[in-house]
Amino acid sequence: MYYLKNILFLYLTKNQKASLFSYIKSFAKKYKDLSTDEILDAFIEEEKYYFNVNNPHFEWISEYLEQEKFLKELKTLINENKKQLELKEKQKPFLEKQKLLAKEQRKKAAEYKMSKEKPTKKQIYYYNKLCDQYKITKEDLTNKSKLDLKNIIGKILDEQASSEKGFDRDIQE
């Protein structure tokens, strides 16, 4: 896409070219199911309509819409945008897998960091309150890490949630 900016629309200003490229990109995305020629025709129709109602997207474009070179370059730009969209669509499953892998790696890194740190006062306080509330014998926390305490608290909460569900089931029956 970058190379197109260096070879297409050399007669336009930098701002005109940037706004046209941006608009064509969104326009091609909007009409991605149409062919390149149909997208080009829709773009020309839309620009003529907006020019006729005195509200053009690009005030300078009316003089270029009849030029063969401009239309040819516009078609090239639309075609390249369609290719980019297709490529992005094909890469979607791969990118999703990468996101999941990165999420797992962040989780492992966080757990590794937690395994090297001492538990916080809030964690210890919460653990003690849970033990008091559910009448569980407390473990010795002197050599426990943040991760250990997190896992212990999670285990207590899971056990209590499963026992409460079982209790609810008995009442409903």
Side-chain angles (χ1 to χ4, degrees):
M1 197 63 167
Y2 177 74
Y3 74 92
L4 286 179
K5 291 182 180 180
N6 295 331
I7 61 173
L8 295 181
F9 308 113
L10 298 177
Y11 42 87
L12 297 178
T13 66
K14 180 180 163 186
N15 290 340
Q16 288 173 337
K17 197 187 296 190
S19 62
L20 182 63
F21 270 69
S22 175
Y23 187 75
I24 290 296
K25 185 176 182 179
S26 64
F27 198 82
K29 190 174 184 178
K30 182 178 176 183
Y31 296 107
K32 64 182 174 188
D33 296 330
L34 299 178
S35 70
T36 304
D37 291 327
E38 291 171 330
I39 292 173
L40 178 63
D41 292 340
F43 174 75
I44 292 170
E45 272 183 47
E46 186 174 291
E47 288 308 311
K48 285 182 178 178
Y49 169 77
Y50 283 114
F51 192 75
N52 288 336
V53 295
N54 292 326
N55 190 15
H57 291 120
F58 312 104
E59 295 173 2
W60 48 268
I61 205 165
S62 63
E63 61 189 74
Y64 295 111
L65 285 178
E66 302 302 323
Q67 294 180 5
E68 189 65 33
K69 183 179 178 186
F70 181 78
L71 295 177
K72 185 178 178 185
E73 290 177 344
L74 202 56
K75 191 173 182 178
T76 304
L77 180 60
I78 292 170
N79 198 29
E80 188 63 29
N81 277 303
K82 284 186 59 106
K83 286 180 184 176
Q84 292 288 332
L85 287 170
E86 289 172 7
L87 182 64
K88 197 173 187 180
E89 195 65 36
K90 287 178 183 176
Q91 290 177 338
K92 207 172 200 174
F94 176 72
L95 294 174
E96 292 297 322
K97 285 181 183 178
Q98 271 187 325
K99 284 181 184 177
L100 287 174
L101 181 64
K103 187 177 180 181
E104 289 174 14
Q105 287 176 337
R106 285 192 304 273
K107 185 177 178 183
K108 284 181 183 178
E111 286 180 352
Y112 177 77
K113 183 179 176 185
M114 287 174 72
S115 70
K116 301 295 180 191
E117 296 175 346
K118 296 218 177 280
T120 63
K121 290 179 182 178
K122 285 184 179 181
Q123 273 185 312
I124 295 170
Y125 177 78
Y126 187 60
Y127 171 74
N128 289 331
K129 285 293 183 182
L130 282 177
C131 288
D132 292 342
Q133 180 181 355
Y134 295 117
K135 296 172 182 62
I136 299 171
T137 56
K138 297 177 186 177
E139 295 181 28
D140 182 26
L141 301 178
T142 51
N143 295 328
K144 300 287 183 187
S145 67
K146 247 186 189 181
L147 180 64
D148 295 333
L149 203 55
K150 176 186 165 203
N151 292 336
I152 292 169
I153 291 171
K155 186 177 176 185
I156 292 170
L157 293 174
D158 287 343
E159 287 174 359
Q160 296 306 318
S162 64
S163 67
E164 287 176 7
K165 283 182 184 176
F167 181 72
D168 289 345
R169 193 172 2 136
D170 293 339
I171 292 174
Q172 290 174 354
E173 292 174 356

